[in-house]
Amino acid sequence: MQTKNKFVLYAVVAVALLLMPGICASLGLGNGPMRIIDLALLYVMLALGLNIVVGYAGLLDLGYVAFYALGAYMFGLLASPQLSTNFETFAAAFPNGLHMPLWLLIPAGAALAALAGALLGAPTLKLRGDYLAIVTLGFGEIIRVFMNNLDTVTNGPRGIGEIDGIHFWGYDLSKPLELMGFTVPPITQYYYLFLALVLGSILICYRLETSRIGRAWMAIREDEIAAKAMGINTRNMKLLAFGMGATFGGVAGSMFAAFQGFVSPESFSLQESIMIVAMVVLGGIGHIPGVVLGALLLAALPEVLRYVAGPLQEMSDGRLDAAILRQLLIALAMISVMLLRPRGLWPAPEHGKAAPKAQN
């Protein structure tokens, strides 16, 4: 009976996800909600990647947004006229910019992020807890400041524009698609692409969780000394966790650059990194369904609260700023969740307890 109920639940969720664009269109909500959902799916990918580092390996990473930025900027530089505009050598060979194909752009962003993750992990292997958090926090800020000041390459605070959208085999997601008499807007096409990437990421995370590598990560998380005594190479496992988690961030950053068509250092601030950590912790650290739920809720919550902060500002005759009110409401919501659900909204089942019996 329990298996049947799960199958019905999964079927309902699958149908709802497939019909989501049609539901938003039928309600006359416009492209706003779909854009929020698209960005929320990218945050799900980021949260799943960070969950590998924090949830599986137990390594507190407060600079995860740096890998997101590296993937976005790699895509932006290789899929825009930016390098040809600033460097005569590139302009002579590629007058209109590089505009590299997609099958090279995404692996390049993922590889750069993975390399950065390994480079970050190497000097921090002996650090734990607060010390590791401070080092990773500094790494995230270094990357943001580096992108903000490297004017000749990244265009500094002005950012990189004119970035190509996703296109492959002559099919461009940034243009409307005519299908069976219906016009599918680009924002809906990106939705299905991001949804496919999220489902693939979830599958990879589930396979990692049940693999020997995942078991080794969890052993290190529970007791690193005992794990080393059992023959686990903790050094290599930690580096692999940093690299694997960073890969998710690099791919998500590439998709963000293609979706927005513009990247700037403001999109990769410390607040973004804290929000990604909050998604993992509030959802249920180490539990994939909880992480997905936390990412969806926290990604959509700031946008939804815009509709609440506006009336509250009017009630105060404009004395309170709407942005400050929105941040206050987000903080109160997060505090309430932690007080009511200290292990997260959807925590992993506790070990050592008997499974509940199925109800007939």
Side-chain angles (χ1 to χ4, degrees):
M1 181 66 73
Q2 190 173 6
T3 304
K4 184 179 179 181
N5 291 338
K6 284 186 177 180
F7 177 78
V8 172
L9 176 61
Y10 292 155
V12 171
V13 172
V15 171
L17 290 174
L18 290 174
L19 298 179
M20 184 64 68
I23 295 173
C24 292
S26 62
L27 295 176
L29 300 177
N31 291 332
M34 282 307 304
R35 185 173 184 82
I36 294 173
I37 294 172
D38 287 351
L39 292 175
L41 290 175
L42 291 180
Y43 277 110
V44 170
M45 288 185 62
L46 291 171
L48 289 171
L50 183 60
N51 186 55
I52 293 176
V53 183
V54 177
Y56 292 167
L59 305 171
L60 183 56
D61 187 354
L62 294 182
Y64 188 76
V65 75
F67 310 123
Y68 188 39
L70 288 172
Y73 270 93
M74 174 62 77
F75 192 99
L77 290 172
L78 299 182
S80 72
Q82 177 66 22
L83 293 177
S84 298
T85 302
N86 294 339
F87 297 97
E88 295 181 358
T89 305
F90 278 97
F94 307 96
N96 298 321
L98 289 177
H99 302 286
M100 296 180 66
L102 187 66
W103 58 271
L104 283 177
L105 288 171
I106 296 179
L112 178 62
L115 177 62
L119 292 177
L120 170 64
T124 61
L125 291 175
K126 295 184 179 181
L127 299 178
R128 300 179 186 175
D130 299 340
Y131 300 101
L132 178 61
I134 292 172
V135 171
T136 54
L137 175 64
F139 176 78
E141 283 298 287
I142 287 172
I143 295 297
R144 185 186 64 81
V145 173
F146 182 77
M147 298 300 182
N148 196 44
N149 289 281
L150 195 62
D151 289 343
T152 55
V153 178
T154 64
N155 210 26
R158 296 181 297 276
I160 301 174
E162 301 181 36
I163 300 175
D164 298 340
I166 299 294
H167 56 86
F168 49 90
W169 300 321
Y171 174 54
D172 192 349
L173 268 70
S174 60
K175 297 180 180 178
L177 172 65
E178 297 294 333
L179 184 63
M180 300 175 62
F182 295 95
T183 301
V184 183
I187 198 166
T188 300
Q189 299 177 56
Y190 275 104
Y191 166 78
Y192 286 114
L193 173 63
F194 294 165
L195 180 61
L197 289 173
V198 166
L199 294 177
S201 301
I202 292 173
L203 178 61
I204 292 172
C205 289
Y206 267 118
R207 297 296 294 173
L208 282 173
E209 184 178 357
T210 56
S211 68
R212 294 178 60 185
I213 295 175
R215 298 299 182 188
W217 284 337
M218 294 175 193
I220 295 172
R221 178 191 66 194
E222 298 299 331
D223 193 327
E224 184 176 349
I225 296 176
K228 186 179 295 186
M230 293 300 293
I232 296 175
N233 190 328
T234 56
R235 174 182 176 276
N236 290 349
M237 287 296 104
K238 285 183 178 181
L239 288 177
L240 184 59
F242 272 111
M244 183 66 72
T247 302
F248 283 72
V251 175
S254 299
M255 295 297 101
F256 174 77
F259 179 65
Q260 294 283 98
F262 173 80
V263 292
S264 68
E266 295 179 357
S267 301
F268 312 105
S269 62
L270 173 61
Q271 183 179 359
E272 291 293 314
S273 193
I274 298 299
M275 284 295 289
I276 299 170
V277 175
M279 291 172 184
V280 176
V281 176
L282 292 181
I285 188 168
H287 193 220
I288 294 176
V291 171
V292 173
L293 177 62
L296 290 174
L297 290 179
L298 281 185
L301 188 62
E303 302 302 326
V304 173
L305 288 179
R306 291 181 188 273
Y307 301 99
V308 180
L312 289 177
Q313 184 184 28
E314 294 178 359
M315 291 172 60
S316 63
D317 294 330
R319 295 186 180 90
L320 298 177
D321 185 73
I324 296 176
L325 276 173
R326 187 162 57 94
Q327 294 297 326
L328 176 62
L329 293 174
I330 293 172
L332 290 176
M334 294 171 65
I335 292 172
S336 301
V337 170
M338 293 307 297
L339 290 175
L340 298 175
R341 304 282 293 180
R343 295 184 61 238
L345 291 171
W346 194 345
E350 294 185 9
H351 297 289
K353 289 188 176 182
K357 295 181 179 179
Q359 299 293 330
N360 295 325

